[in-house]
Each structure stands twice: as structure tokens, then as C-alpha cells.
Amino acid sequence: ALRILASGAPIVPGMGANESAQAMAVTIRGIALGEVDRSMLKKILLREAIVGFLVGTTIGIMTWAVAVTFHSAEHGMALGFIIFLALIFNHVNACVTGVAIPFVMKRLGFDPAQSASIFATTFTDCGGFFATLGLAKLLMRYLI
């Protein structure tokens, strides 16, 4: 079961990093052009969380379908479900951190364009692996 889970696990942090980079690029551009500021942060975070949820759900459904199609009936549904939920969690995490980190970096006096990606990648990679493995542990403990 772990070998099968490992085949789907890398997609979660990889997709999260892409989503985070997109949210960060839009945020840093908005900060640089003066189009966004801290007063708009709550609205932007909510909007990005919704975007992350929708994108995570869409990609999660596609990944679930692939897992069900190409893995055995015994493990395909479980793998697809774990990756589906982990993708939703990590996309929301990626969008929120992709927006929040540039604001934090600016507040601390650093250039968000230079240093934000390091922290965002760390959050999305760790979040993706912890979500995937944590959900797998819960599924194995309580449902299997």
C-alpha cells in the first residue's frame, strides 16, 4: 500500500508549488504597482483560498480518476481519495501562503521578490507531504 501511495504523493507538493508561485507573482506585482496593500489582505486571502479550493478540487478529481483507472480496485479508490483531499488542502495552503508571505516579507523590510519563494516552497512541500501521509495514516487506521 505504501508503494502505491508513493506513486501519487509527488503530485501534491509539485502542484502546490506551481499554485503558490502563481499567487505570489500576482501578489508581488500588485504590491510593486501599488494596486494592493495590507488593508486589502483579508479580501485577497479569502479570494485566493477559494481559488485554491476550486483548482485543488478540479485537479483532485482528475487525479482520482487516473488512480481509479490505472490502479487495482483494491487500492485505486483509496489512493485517489487520499490524493484528492491532499490536493485540495495543499492548493488552499499554497494560495494563502503565496499571498501572505510577500506581505510578511515586505513588513519585515525584505524584498518579497527575492526571498518569498523560498518560504512558500517550503510551506507547500511540507504541507503537501504531511497532508498526503497524514491522510493515508488516518485512512489506514480508521477505514482499513
Side-chain angles (χ1 to χ4, degrees):
L2 289 177
R3 182 181 59 81
I4 292 171
L5 180 62
S7 68
I11 193 172
V12 177
M15 292 302 297
N18 293 337
E19 188 81 22
S20 178
Q22 181 65 35
M24 234 182 327
V26 172
T27 302
I28 291 170
R29 180 184 179 277
I31 291 171
L33 295 176
E35 295 173 351
V36 297
D37 59 13
R38 273 188 31 203
S39 66
M40 302 170 68
L41 187 57
K42 284 184 184 179
K43 179 181 175 183
I44 295 169
L45 285 172
L46 178 62
R47 185 181 67 207
E48 285 298 321
I50 292 168
V51 167
F53 178 80
L54 294 174
V55 171
T57 301
T58 303
I59 293 172
I61 289 170
M62 290 187 292
T63 306
W64 173 83
V66 169
V68 169
T69 302
F70 292 105
H71 286 282
S72 67
E74 179 185 355
H75 297 294
M77 289 294 280
L79 173 65
F81 184 67
I82 290 167
I83 300 299
F84 169 75
L85 290 177
L87 279 166
I88 292 172
F89 168 81
N90 206 36
H91 276 267
V92 172
N93 175 40
C95 286
V96 169
T97 57
V99 169
I101 290 173
F103 279 101
V104 170
M105 299 306 290
K106 184 176 180 191
R107 176 86 170 137
L108 294 174
F110 297 104
D111 181 7
Q114 287 183 334
S115 51
S117 64
I118 297 165
F119 295 105
T121 301
T122 302
F123 276 105
T124 57
D125 286 355
C126 291
F129 281 114
F130 283 126
T132 304
L133 298 174
L135 288 167
K137 180 181 177 179
L138 288 174
L139 183 75
M140 288 170 51
R141 176 176 285 165
Y142 296 112
L143 299 178
I144 295 179

